[in-house]
Amino acid sequence: VEADALGGESPNFGDVPMSALLHAAKVYGAAKDGQQFGIRSATVGYNYPSVKAWKDLAISRAGAGGSQRFYEAEGITVFEGAAHFISPHEITINRRHLSASYFLIATGAHLLMPQVIGLDKIPHLTPRTALDIIRPPKSVFIIGGGATGVEFAHLFSTFGSKVHIAEVAPRLLPREDDEVSELVERIFDSQKGVSALTSSRVIKVAREGIMKRVTYIRGDREISVKVDEILVAAGKLPTVDIGLENAGIHYTPKGIEVNEHLQTSAKHIYAAGDVLGHTMYTHVALQESRVAAHNILHRDKLSPNYKAVPRITYIVPEIASVGLSEDDCIKRDLAINKATAPINIIGRANTTNTRDGFVKIITDKKGIILGATIAAPCAGELIHELTLAIQHNLTAQDVAYTMHAFPTWSEAVRVACSKL
């Protein structure tokens, strides 16, 4: 049963289209910077409708459009509409009643709307609608400085928008290590012209002619700025308004409660993905869905493993992390060692003129890797060596003594681990 587009957020209006747009921005940015390598790039430009067409092609290739035909070829019946429980074994879809022995709830999450005066009265962009605009705004105010907000800030600023991004926390990407925030804020300021408004709370928005005025509080000052567009990227909330109480399922606004096997309080009903509310990543949802499907079909029960969940922010340089952050270790009162290797010390950085980035490794006192952060080209790929290391309790020495090809970005991982 699907209330929106088959395949859900990731292939239709999440990871896939965003990644396609960010790749186009990366190519454009690299082309503009080609002169440093002897490439004549002074006249490089872009056509944003063509960029959008590329994004649409990427979505079609992701298989979202053919999902229904695929499911039906597998003997799976597809229903379009919103499902609502009316009893533990029965749902309604567009006034049609269906019953089943088992259910898997994977309703995902929806946009969290911050409490901002006037936001419900003026048009604004969301992470979904911003994917379909026909030209980048001349100026945009982004509410929310997490991964989504930072990615849109990078995207729009690369294509020439003046970007303001507000985050209530003291730094952008507050879930990452301090060093990441410092790097991103410095690059945004010096290379992208992005105004990073940390420790800032947006309190009011209003129309002002064809523009929009955003008022925010920073410190003890009330400040306002006029922009062409406002983008709300303040996070998501699990979609739990589906009659769960009629099925006897325990839940809160923060998500459905499940046991280690992803069973809800109604033992024949399982849940997976963003609707659980704890780790909203597509790769987590994929693992949970496989676990839930297995547990519905088999007597021996599996449990998802959240020990090593990679997190990636697709900007330049890419940001990737896994395991515990330094803040996590401090909160848990863990005794740790840490080491950082700047990316510019390795051969690959020299051959590409890359100056910004680092690899940071955190271990316990026995040398077992607890967490890692990479800010570098291809960080999203590099992080999986350390994901595997954390998953299997490897030490920094295990990684350092593993041969890493020269010249590759992965050498920075070896260097950081060798310091421990």
Side-chain angles (χ1 to χ4, degrees):
V1 182
E2 176 54 60
D4 200 339
L6 274 169
E9 180 179 351
S10 179
N12 293 297
F13 33 84
D15 303 322
V16 169
M18 191 62 184
S19 180
L21 289 175
L22 287 167
H23 179 72
K26 183 179 179 180
V27 171
Y28 176 57
K32 284 199 304 179
D33 293 338
Q35 290 184 356
Q36 62 186 316
F37 307 114
I39 308 299
R40 295 177 181 173
S41 57
T43 59
V44 170
Y46 67 87
N47 178 276
Y48 203 78
S50 298
V51 173
K52 180 179 175 297
W54 153 245
K55 178 265 299 180
D56 293 337
L57 176 62
I59 293 174
S60 68
R61 286 176 173 174
S67 293
Q68 184 164 346
R69 293 189 299 275
F70 170 78
Y71 289 145
E72 290 172 345
E74 294 289 319
I76 299 166
T77 305
V78 177
F79 294 93
E80 294 182 15
H84 193 87
F85 280 99
I86 55 175
S87 74
H89 283 278
E90 193 173 16
I91 59 172
T92 61
I93 314 158
N94 301 328
R95 299 183 181 179
R96 179 172 184 171
H97 289 212
L98 293 175
S99 61
S101 299
Y102 293 92
F103 291 88
L104 171 58
I105 301 170
T107 47
H110 57 276
L111 181 68
L112 168 64
M113 292 301 293
Q115 297 296 311
V116 176
I117 296 170
L119 191 58
D120 58 339
K121 295 181 174 63
I122 67 169
H124 57 269
L125 297 173
T126 68
R128 178 169 176 174
T129 61
L131 298 170
D132 286 324
I133 59 175
I134 59 173
R135 67 179 63 84
K138 289 183 180 179
S139 58
V140 59
F141 195 107
I142 300 174
I143 302 175
T148 300
V150 164
E151 286 180 347
F152 272 108
H154 173 77
L155 175 71
F156 286 143
S157 62
T158 299
F159 285 119
S161 303
K162 171 56 186 174
V163 178
H164 309 265
I165 180 168
E167 168 58 45
V168 294
R171 53 193 180 89
L172 298 182
L173 297 174
R175 294 185 61 184
E176 304 296 340
D177 274 336
D178 288 359
E179 296 93 332
V180 169
S181 303
E182 291 168 8
L183 175 66
V184 171
E185 289 171 26
R186 176 171 60 78
I187 290 174
F188 271 6
D189 178 57
S190 63
Q191 300 177 22
K192 313 293 286 183
V194 173
S195 299
L197 308 171
T198 53
S199 300
S200 298
R201 182 169 59 89
V202 177
I203 59 170
K204 182 171 60 176
V205 298
R207 280 186 181 276
E208 194 160 306
I210 61 171
M211 306 283 282
K212 295 159 187 175
R213 182 171 292 278
V214 181
T215 303
Y216 60 95
I217 294 175
R218 193 178 198 196
D220 57 358
R221 295 177 60 207
E222 185 174 299
I223 309 166
S224 70
V225 61
K226 284 202 302 185
V227 292
D228 292 280
E229 286 289 356
I230 297 168
L231 168 61
V232 178
K236 297 186 291 184
L237 286 174
T239 300
V240 293
D241 186 19
I242 56 169
L244 297 176
E245 55 282 344
N246 298 330
I249 297 172
H250 297 161
Y251 71 99
T252 72
K254 295 182 178 180
I256 292 177
E257 298 173 6
V258 292
N259 65 13
E260 70 273 20
H261 305 307
L262 302 181
Q263 277 177 304
T264 69
S265 51
K267 296 303 180 186
H268 66 291
I269 301 176
Y270 291 71
D274 288 3
V275 74
L276 301 183
H278 55 79
T279 311
M280 294 189 181
Y281 299 112
T282 301
H283 40 287
V284 172
L286 290 171
Q287 183 185 107
E288 289 170 344
S289 64
R290 289 192 291 267
V291 167
H294 174 94
N295 290 345
I296 288 172
L297 297 170
H298 301 283
R299 283 179 178 269
D300 63 306
K301 303 302 182 186
L302 302 178
S303 299
N305 190 321
Y306 303 109
K307 182 178 180 181
V309 177
R311 309 176 293 275
I312 305 167
T313 305
Y314 294 96
I315 57 176
V316 176
E318 277 185 6
I319 308 297
S321 57
V322 65
L324 300 179
S325 68
E326 191 170 345
D327 282 347
D328 292 332
C329 295
I330 291 170
K331 289 173 184 174
R332 300 180 188 203
D333 200 25
L334 297 177
I336 62 170
N337 293 323
K338 60 181 180 176
T340 300
I343 205 74
N344 60 18
I345 66 173
I346 63 169
R348 185 66 180 273
N350 180 47
T351 63
T352 59
N353 196 28
T354 301
R355 316 317 302 161
D356 297 312
F358 62 88
V359 175
K360 177 181 177 180
I361 308 293
I362 299 171
T363 70
D364 65 13
K365 290 300 182 179
K366 295 180 180 178
I368 296 173
I369 300 175
L370 301 177
T373 297
I374 302 176
C378 307
E381 275 65 48
L382 296 175
I383 200 65
H384 290 90
E385 174 181 16
L386 294 161
T387 301
L388 186 69
I390 292 171
Q391 187 75 43
H392 294 283
N393 298 315
L394 300 185
T395 65
Q397 186 179 72
D398 291 329
V399 176
Y401 285 9
T402 300
M403 193 177 295
H404 290 69
F406 176 89
T408 62
W409 297 115
S410 62
E411 274 199 294
V413 175
R414 177 188 60 77
V415 172
C417 286
S418 69
K419 292 185 175 185
L420 291 162

